[in-house]
Amino acid sequence: MKFLAITLITESTDPVTGASTPTRQRFREVAAAAVLAEELGFDGFGVGERHERPFLSSAPPVVLAHIAALTHRIRLFTAVTTLSLLDPVRAYEDYATLDHLSDGRLELMIGKGNGSAQRELFHVTPEDQWARNAEGYELFRRIWREDKVSAEPRFRPSLESAEVLPRPFQPALRVWHGSATSRESVELAARYGDPLFSANVTHPIGPYAELIRHYRERWEHHGHDPAHAVVGAGTAGYHAAATSQGAVAAYRPAFARYLAAHRAQGLEPVFPTLEDFVERSSALVGSPQQVIEKVQRYHEQFGHTVLHLQAEPGGLTDSEHRASLELFQSDIAPALRAAIPDPVFPGP
């Protein structure tokens, strides 16, 4: 099994004082988290893309280029690239450049993203967002693979023998399709033989497991070998400690942030108590053995071979979070790597 650390770079406050963290410091915290993830042995580090509050992650290629200069081995992911909002030609230029700067460590996750504010910012509607996502991906994919491209897209000007530079470092970039409950994302992934990354963070396991089953059915429908389907899955939270009681107690401030974020958006939380969150969500909070057993239970439903954890403390102290990540790599990851086979991961 492979493991990613992922951040959406949200606005933040100090867990002790409650003071707002300056934006400049937040970006430095993200860079430090990526360096730590490589130091601890994570396989990948992901940066999300959002264009509305409370997120600061509007320019993942810029952030990942900085991280590429600070790291050497870890693969660099987007989580997700919102192609429904972007010009695929310009997105290609950014990521082909990053592909060279990272010595071919780049992997993309694509998806429509979330939120009405960012749709309004880019004049994208709920009715056309999926068509934009599919068209953007298909054009991006062609530009990555072909030296010159002619196309008549619906949502951007036509291309006539267009040469887009620089040409990429990796001849065929692996693109994951991030999805929560959308069959549109699943269909696009299955059609092109691409891996799927299930968000798996908002609801209990049921709808995510159903979507992954649908992905595997559509994968076979499009003529792909079932053994080659690759699935990743997210987690709603993570904190491990020597005892389950200690882990849950330490995680309580992080869960309070979860509830506060829902209240701020006028949303009813799916998991109203910490105990319910630990029991029914995908969060991995407990002793190492409890974490291992929960991942294995989810694997029985998903068949996933890639797992993401939160890269940043999110309500824990820095020392608690680091100790928890160290415990993951020392006591949890080896057991999961032994029990669950790896997907094929390109080398740097």
Side-chain angles (χ1 to χ4, degrees):
M1 195 172 212
K2 297 289 188 182
F3 304 103
L4 316 181
I6 287 181
T7 178
L8 294 180
I9 320 183
T10 57
E11 296 173 325
S12 181
T13 57
D14 187 284
V16 177
T17 66
S20 296
T21 304
T23 299
R24 177 177 177 275
Q25 183 178 333
R26 283 294 294 120
F27 285 121
R28 277 150 182 76
E29 289 172 350
V30 169
V35 172
L36 176 62
E38 178 168 90
E39 175 189 326
L40 294 179
F42 281 85
D43 302 288
F45 188 88
V47 172
E49 179 180 335
R50 296 289 189 276
H51 300 272
E52 59 188 330
R53 286 189 184 274
F55 304 103
L56 304 173
S57 50
S58 58
V62 178
V63 178
L64 288 171
H66 180 62
I67 291 171
L70 300 174
T71 58
H72 305 282
R73 175 197 57 80
I74 199 165
R75 294 193 68 76
L76 306 176
F77 286 73
T78 62
V80 297
T81 295
T82 52
L83 276 180
S84 61
L85 309 179
L86 306 178
D87 180 343
V89 175
R90 190 70 187 91
Y92 165 82
E93 292 173 333
D94 284 343
Y95 285 113
T97 301
L98 175 55
D99 196 35
H100 284 279
L101 292 173
S102 66
D103 294 328
R105 289 186 280 147
L106 174 65
E107 304 211 15
L108 252 61
M109 291 186 205
I110 67 165
K112 73 172 181 62
N114 293 298
S116 58
Q118 66 179 12
R119 284 200 307 267
E120 293 168 4
L121 184 64
F122 289 90
H123 295 274
V124 172
T125 69
E127 292 73 28
D128 69 16
Q129 60 187 350
W130 288 114
R132 287 176 179 272
N133 185 66
E135 178 183 284
Y137 173 57
E138 289 160 358
L139 189 53
F140 181 96
R141 192 175 192 275
R142 285 191 60 196
I143 296 169
W144 197 280
R145 287 163 169 76
E146 301 173 25
D147 290 337
K148 293 186 178 180
V149 173
S150 296
E152 294 283 346
R154 175 183 168 193
F155 298 108
R156 63 144 288 131
S158 62
L159 299 173
E160 184 63 40
S161 297
E163 182 181 35
V164 189
L165 300 174
R167 300 311 302 149
F169 184 88
Q170 298 178 86
L173 178 70
R174 180 162 62 178
V175 177
W176 301 70
H177 295 249
S179 181
T181 57
S182 164
R183 292 199 169 200
E184 288 88 344
S185 290
V186 162
E187 178 62 29
L188 196 62
R191 186 192 320 161
Y192 284 101
D194 293 332
L196 179 73
F197 213 103
S198 171
N200 191 37
V201 297
T202 307
H203 302 285
I205 192 171
Y208 304 114
E210 179 182 348
L211 196 72
I212 290 170
R213 285 193 294 270
H214 180 68
Y215 165 69
R216 295 186 187 279
E217 291 168 2
R218 297 304 297 169
W219 177 276
E220 290 192 57
H221 170 83
H222 287 290
H224 305 300
D225 185 340
H228 294 165
V230 176
V231 172
T235 55
Y238 165 71
H239 183 61
T243 67
S244 59
Q245 295 89 342
V248 170
Y251 196 78
R252 200 165 292 280
F255 183 73
R257 284 194 175 197
Y258 162 86
L259 291 180
H262 278 72
R263 293 192 193 101
Q265 298 175 58
L267 301 174
E268 190 70 25
V270 176
F271 310 103
T273 68
L274 176 56
E275 291 70 23
D276 187 41
F277 182 72
V278 171
E279 175 65 26
R280 293 197 303 125
S281 83
S282 61
L284 304 175
V285 180
S287 68
Q289 189 58 38
Q290 286 175 313
V291 170
I292 291 166
E293 290 172 359
K294 190 168 188 179
V295 172
Q296 291 175 331
R297 288 199 304 274
Y298 271 65
H299 177 72
E300 290 172 2
Q301 296 291 318
F302 293 171
H304 61 306
T305 52
V306 180
L307 180 76
H308 92 50
L309 302 180
Q310 284 64 39
E312 298 187 275
L316 299 165
T317 66
D318 289 343
S319 60
E320 286 173 332
H321 184 60
R322 179 175 182 127
S324 182
L325 293 179
E326 289 173 345
L327 188 60
F328 184 89
Q329 289 295 354
S330 65
D331 289 28
I332 299 169
L336 293 175
R337 291 187 196 277
I340 300 172
D342 283 348
V344 176
F345 250 44

